[in-house]
Structure formats: C-alpha cells, structure tokens
Amino acid sequence: MGLLNTGHDQTNQQKDIGTALKNGKEILFQGFNWESHKYNWWENLESKVGEIAKAGFTSVWLPPPTHSFSPQGYTPQNLYSLNTNYGSEHHLKALLAKMKQHKLRSMADIVINHRVGTTQGRGGIYNRFDGIPLSWDEHAVTSDTGGLGNRKTGAIFQGFPNIDHTQDFVRKDIIGWLRWLRHNVGFEDFRFDFAKGFSAKYVKEYIEAAKPLFCVGEYWDSCNYRGSSLDYNQDSHRQRIINWIDGTGQLSAAFDFTTKGILQEAVKGEFWRLRDGQGKPPGVMGWWPSRSVTFVDNHDTGSTQAHWPFPSDHIMEGYAYILTHPGIPTVFYDHLFEWGNSIRNQIAKLIDVRKREGIESRSSVRILEAKQNLYSAIIGDKVCMKIGSASWCPSASHTQWELATSGHNYAVWRKQ
C-alpha cells in the first residue's frame, strides 16, 4: 500500500510508534564522516557532547559500533565486539554515558544487509562465520551472493555475502543482537544501513522486538534524471521511499533523498523545483513529513567520498530550507565542526529559531514564491523564510515580521 497524501499523520498518532515520531521535535546530528575512523573518535565526540547538546540536537547518529573488516564499519564481521577503529568498548560506553547525562540520545548504525565471513565454505567463498559469535553457516547467506539460503528480498550489495533474513535462525540472532545494543550497550535509536537490500517487513519485526525510541532507514536509490539533468517530477522516487516506510508498519522514518536531490539543484538558480505540481514541497517532506528525515550531506554524499555532494557554496541555503521546514532535519558533522565558526554559528541560529518558534515535523508550509532565483514560504504561520539571490521580504499587510536570522542568500523572519 502506498500512501500518497498528508492525511495519515493524524490517524496514526494513536499508534504506539515511539514518542520521538509522535512529538515531531527531533533534530538529528550525524556525528562522523568518512575519515573519522583515523582518529580516537569516541573520545573526540565525548569532548564535544556539551556543545552538541547546547546546540539543541536530540539524537546523535554514531558510526557502526561493532567490529568490521573495513575501518569505517560498513563491512561487519564480529557483531558482538565493540572494539573498533573508532575506539575501544570502554571509550564508547563513556561517550554513551556522557550523552545520557546531557539528555542526548545515541543512534546506532545498524548494518545487517551483509556480513564478512571468517572461513571459506561451499564454493570456496568466505560465506561461513565460524569462530565468532553468531557462527552462522552458508544457509545464512543468500543464494544469489554465494550462500545456501534463499534469494534476496531486496537489492544485492555487491562483493560481500548478503544476509538471508528469511531464515528464522538469522532473524532470531539479529533480534538478540539488537536487544543487546538497545538494552545492554545503551543505544536508544537505530539507523538502518542499505535498507533497500532486504524487505521492510523484517525492519518492522526488528523494531517491534528491540523497541528503539526512534528509527530511520537509508533507502537510497537514484533520482529520475534525463541525461545529467534532474527531472522536475520526482514523485516515483519519493513514492518508493514512502512504500518502504509503509512496509516497516510506519515505525521507521526514512532519509529524504528526494528532497536532497532536488534541493541541491534548486540552489543553483532553479528554485522553481521546490514547489511540486500540487503546490507542496517536492520531496518525501511534502507527502509524509513526520517520516521525512532531511539532510544536506552525509558521509557518502559528501565528506571525502563525495558521491553526490551539495554545492559547497550553497550549503547555508540548504540548511535555511531544512531547518525551517517540516520533516526531521539532520546536520552533518563537517558543517558544524570543520567548516569554520561562521557556518557553525549560522546553523546554531537556525536551530534556535526552529525550537523557539515551535516548528516541528508536521508544521504547515505555504509556498509564496518558487522561481529561478527565489524561494519563499511561511511555515506554521510563525516563520517566514527566503532563499536565493533575488531580494525579497514578506509583505507587512497583515502580519508584522521581524528578521530572526540571515546570511548569504537567505533570511528568516518571525512574527513580532
């Protein structure tokens, strides 16, 4: 079932979907980039917890916490070892304890699409996991990635044994591990890596069993392009993300890759892209804002990988959009801590306006302008904003607006 309109937020509020999704006040911080494994990362973050909490974030997405074949953590092997390139188990637990003191939730990056084997099994492939906890055999690996299990229920992650979630013993073990992360290690939130690799119904089962407070899935596939030009209409792209959220029983939010793809083209002087055919925001945010996790860049799209980067001279226009709009905004580590004090202060001011004026994931949006060099909107009747090189300010006919914060090519007003 694909939900296409905005009516479902109200009807589902009665469901037990975790207070975080209900209250809509989340502001996420991605607490790492692609190079973080080269440093004593848990210690580095521990020194910044006070600053992150003071900025107004509610949850910090941390890199994968368990042992991995590759240093970044995305090729897991021994899922019960918390000693990684980011630091020791001791330092991780110290970081989580400090975050709890500051009422910051910790989000674990859950990589359960694939796993690196320890020993060669059938076919001479490393598709067995002998000698470590969860010592699965070839039946835990899908038949289309070198195992004896069933076929994949999603996209294949090439080059590694992909886990067969149709196996009861596999799901039982994964649930045991997720409960351990949640209740023993102390993570409160989950981010599901490569979510298009396995059926969303298993994510639903895992969330119901481990009971994280908040979840977000990385359902990332390509936007619709014509050659190198992004199509105006991305409805089929956002519908695929919405279908995945539906498949989780609506228990998980999802990263709004649709908004990311459109916004980074819009800021180049194509702001007409930010209003869809129905006059709404054109990403997941426009259809299901309480499940849309917006972002400007992450460790894959930006950082040193730069697979799909936001134009670096326009990132504040990007933040002015996502931090004033509905959805659940995410700020990237690099932008807060590595791009200088001016960017950090500008982001902090936008977060302050969002919190002070009570903008949340379900706030209304009235788009006023969406043309070549200008986008402007009123959000929740309390905040007005513009981005783009054209000069613009709200009309004072009915409402007295005062400038709350501004910067290069953006401005935000609040009601006086």
Side-chain angles (χ1 to χ4, degrees):
M1 178 185 74
L3 293 166
L4 282 165
N5 54 35
T6 53
H8 30 299
D9 279 331
Q10 285 71 35
T11 54
N12 290 326
Q13 261 178 297
Q14 296 81 22
K15 284 193 180 178
D16 182 23
I17 49 175
T19 49
L21 277 177
K22 280 184 193 168
N23 77 30
K25 293 180 169 59
E26 299 305 299
I27 303 175
L28 310 182
F29 179 63
Q30 179 175 359
F32 66 101
N33 60 35
W34 195 244
E35 304 299 321
S36 301
H37 63 91
K38 296 176 179 171
Y39 309 96
N40 298 317
W41 201 249
W42 302 144
E43 292 179 84
N44 169 49
L45 281 182
E46 192 186 340
S47 72
K48 292 179 163 65
V49 163
E51 203 174 341
I52 295 166
K54 188 170 167 240
F57 295 101
T58 56
S59 178
V60 180
W61 162 23
L62 300 176
T66 55
H67 169 261
S68 164
F69 188 71
S70 58
Q72 295 85 3
Y74 291 98
T75 54
Q77 193 171 58
N78 183 349
L79 293 172
Y80 277 95
S81 169
L82 293 170
N83 293 306
T84 68
N85 285 69
Y86 297 105
S88 66
E89 174 177 350
H90 170 76
H91 285 128
L92 171 62
K93 288 186 169 170
L95 168 62
L96 296 185
K98 184 155 185 191
M99 286 173 65
K100 270 206 168 67
Q101 283 170 12
H102 284 80
K103 297 187 167 48
L104 263 180
R105 297 200 317 275
S106 53
M107 179 183 290
D109 203 326
I110 305 298
V111 187
I112 49 175
N113 174 76
H114 47 275
R115 188 182 178 197
V116 176
T118 57
T119 47
Q120 288 171 299
R122 186 172 160 136
I125 299 163
Y126 280 85
N127 56 11
R128 293 179 63 90
F129 307 90
D130 301 312
I132 54 174
L134 310 189
S135 50
W136 300 333
D137 65 10
E138 300 93 326
H139 291 93
V141 177
T142 62
S143 58
D144 35 20
T145 62
L148 294 175
N150 295 312
R151 290 184 65 78
K152 279 224 80 173
T153 58
I156 291 173
F157 189 85
Q158 298 292 346
F160 296 93
N162 284 217
I163 294 170
D164 182 7
H165 293 264
T166 71
Q167 306 286 351
D168 290 346
F169 76 92
V170 167
R171 293 202 308 283
K172 180 170 169 284
D173 281 349
I174 288 174
I175 286 169
W177 175 68
L178 291 173
R179 284 175 170 159
W180 173 74
L181 284 177
R182 173 77 183 86
H183 302 292
N184 295 61
V185 184
F187 284 99
E188 288 145 306
D189 300 347
F190 290 162
R191 178 253 185 193
F192 289 95
D193 180 64
F194 200 73
K196 67 177 183 177
F198 48 101
S199 171
K201 71 181 181 184
Y202 301 123
V203 175
K204 176 178 189 280
E205 186 178 335
Y206 299 147
I207 293 171
E208 286 173 341
K211 298 182 172 53
L213 299 180
F214 178 83
C215 288
V216 56
E218 181 208 23
Y219 193 95
W220 183 13
D221 63 3
S222 296
C223 283
N224 311 325
Y225 286 87
R226 230 162 274 183
S228 62
S229 172
L230 184 75
D231 285 352
Y232 166 68
N233 187 324
Q234 295 294 331
D235 287 357
S236 62
H237 185 266
R238 57 176 163 173
Q239 186 64 50
R240 290 194 293 276
I241 297 174
I242 277 170
N243 291 347
W244 181 84
I245 298 167
D246 263 343
T248 71
Q250 309 170 11
L251 296 178
S252 181
F255 286 110
D256 194 343
F257 283 95
T258 320
T259 291
K260 149 84 168 157
I262 294 169
L263 185 59
Q264 66 189 21
E265 295 302 317
V267 295
K268 297 171 187 173
E270 300 178 358
F271 286 103
W272 45 267
R273 293 181 177 277
L274 292 179
R275 177 161 53 193
D276 74 6
Q278 282 67 53
K280 294 183 177 194
V284 178
M285 177 208 291
W287 276 353
W288 205 350
S290 73
R291 301 294 187 280
S292 155
V293 176
T294 53
F295 67 104
V296 169
D297 260 329
N298 64 28
H299 62 294
D300 287 323
T301 66
S303 189
T304 51
Q305 293 199 92
H307 289 316
W308 201 37
F310 204 92
S312 58
D313 49 344
H314 291 284
I315 69 147
M316 281 316 305
E317 289 162 87
Y319 279 118
Y321 181 83
I322 69 169
L323 288 169
T324 59
H325 274 58
I328 298 162
T330 309
V331 174
F332 184 39
Y333 182 90
D334 294 20
H335 299 150
L336 199 69
F337 287 117
E338 296 192 346
W339 285 42
N341 286 335
S342 171
I343 296 282
R344 183 191 317 183
N345 292 338
Q346 290 178 74
I347 290 171
K349 276 186 185 163
L350 286 165
I351 293 173
D352 183 59
V353 172
R354 182 182 186 87
K355 293 176 86 80
R356 201 177 291 231
E357 302 303 320
I359 297 173
E360 46 104 278
S361 68
R362 296 176 183 81
S363 291
S364 61
V365 182
R366 183 152 56 91
I367 298 172
L368 303 174
E369 301 275 6
K371 51 194 187 187
Q372 193 176 350
N373 292 315
L374 172 67
Y375 170 87
S376 63
I378 292 175
I379 304 93
D381 291 329
K382 295 178 181 173
V383 169
C384 186
M385 59 79 72
K386 64 80 65 166
I387 48 176
S389 58
S391 61
W392 184 90
C393 65
S395 77
S397 54
H398 302 298
T399 306
Q400 292 299 305
W401 296 100
E402 65 173 358
L403 190 67
T405 186
S406 64
H408 182 62
N409 287 349
Y410 77 89
V412 181
W413 295 265
R414 64 162 69 95
K415 275 190 178 173
Q416 275 183 331

